[in-house]
Amino acid sequence: MTAQEFNSHLLRIQDGLNYFAYSLTLNREDAKDLVQDTLLKALLNQDKFQEDTNLKAWTYTILKNTFINNYRRTQKAGTIIDNSKDLYYLNTSAGSSHLGMPEAEISVKEITKAINNVEDEQRIPFEMQMQGHKYKEIAEQMDISIGTVKSRIFFCRKKLMNQLKEFQN
């Protein structure tokens, strides 16, 4: 497929991409940004597209994965997206939060102490995962298999749940 044919196929499915992006974001401007990112990625990775496959499905997959990655990134960053009128939630007082309350500070100290009491073999992979590292990254950095990483994180969680039963709902 020539570059011109590829571009014309992308232009033909753009309306469908806009509709799909809006169904994910529920915001016109975010949907436009998502489609623009998707089209850019499709154009930059045109060489990776296999001609005998479905371009529409390939592009929709790029859009969906871009949306998921952006969502995860904002969740990790703790970004607050305030769509309320007059930015109501951003302008609320800090006193409405539980952070800074003595009970919350004690709870954080107890949880941190429990985590620090877990042996390094299990604690380090657990902390790395909590920081957002993927299993593969942890395995490579610690020079162990992915299965070992998963089991160490599992057993660390299990120990912490037993030690911190008072914090469970």
Side-chain angles (χ1 to χ4, degrees):
M1 177 181 301
T2 67
Q4 189 172 3
E5 290 172 332
F6 186 83
N7 293 346
S8 68
H9 286 310
L10 284 179
L11 289 175
R12 275 188 250 140
I13 62 171
Q14 189 171 358
D15 288 339
L17 289 171
N18 283 322
Y19 180 77
F20 184 51
Y22 182 75
S23 73
L24 294 173
T25 63
L26 301 177
N27 180 305
R28 294 259 182 244
E29 293 304 313
D30 291 342
K32 287 179 185 177
D33 291 342
L34 183 58
V35 170
Q36 188 175 20
D37 289 344
T38 301
L39 294 174
L40 177 64
K41 287 180 182 181
L43 290 170
L44 292 174
N45 294 297
Q46 178 180 353
D47 57 320
K48 295 178 181 141
F49 174 71
Q50 298 173 0
E51 256 188 76
D52 55 343
T53 59
N54 186 345
L55 177 66
K56 185 175 179 180
W58 183 72
T59 312
Y60 274 67
T61 301
I62 293 172
L63 186 138
K64 181 187 69 159
N65 289 341
T66 302
F67 172 76
I68 291 169
N69 290 339
N70 290 343
Y71 178 79
R72 286 180 179 158
R73 197 172 298 121
T74 57
Q75 292 302 310
K76 281 184 189 174
T79 304
I80 299 172
I81 300 173
D82 186 2
N83 290 328
S84 65
K85 186 176 182 180
D86 300 324
L87 301 176
Y88 174 78
Y89 294 111
L90 287 178
N91 293 322
T92 55
S93 68
S96 65
S97 171
H98 293 292
L99 296 175
M101 295 178 67
E103 300 87 16
E105 289 179 22
I106 291 169
S107 298
V108 169
K109 287 179 184 177
E110 288 179 39
I111 293 169
T112 304
K113 183 178 175 184
I115 292 171
N116 289 334
N117 286 336
V118 175
E119 55 274 2
D120 288 350
E121 186 177 89
Q122 293 176 349
R123 181 182 49 79
I124 293 171
F126 174 79
E127 288 178 337
M128 289 176 74
Q129 197 228 1
M130 294 304 294
Q131 292 168 356
H133 294 277
K134 304 224 182 300
Y135 290 132
K136 184 177 180 183
E137 294 172 325
I138 299 168
E140 288 172 357
Q141 286 185 6
M142 296 189 70
D143 196 29
I144 55 178
S145 72
I146 291 179
T148 303
V149 170
K150 290 179 180 180
S151 67
R152 288 181 181 178
I153 292 171
F154 170 79
F155 287 116
C156 182
R157 283 184 182 149
K158 197 170 185 178
K159 284 180 185 178
L160 291 172
M161 287 188 329
N162 286 333
Q163 290 176 8
L164 300 170
K165 286 183 181 177
E166 64 209 52
F167 296 103
Q168 296 176 7
N169 292 340

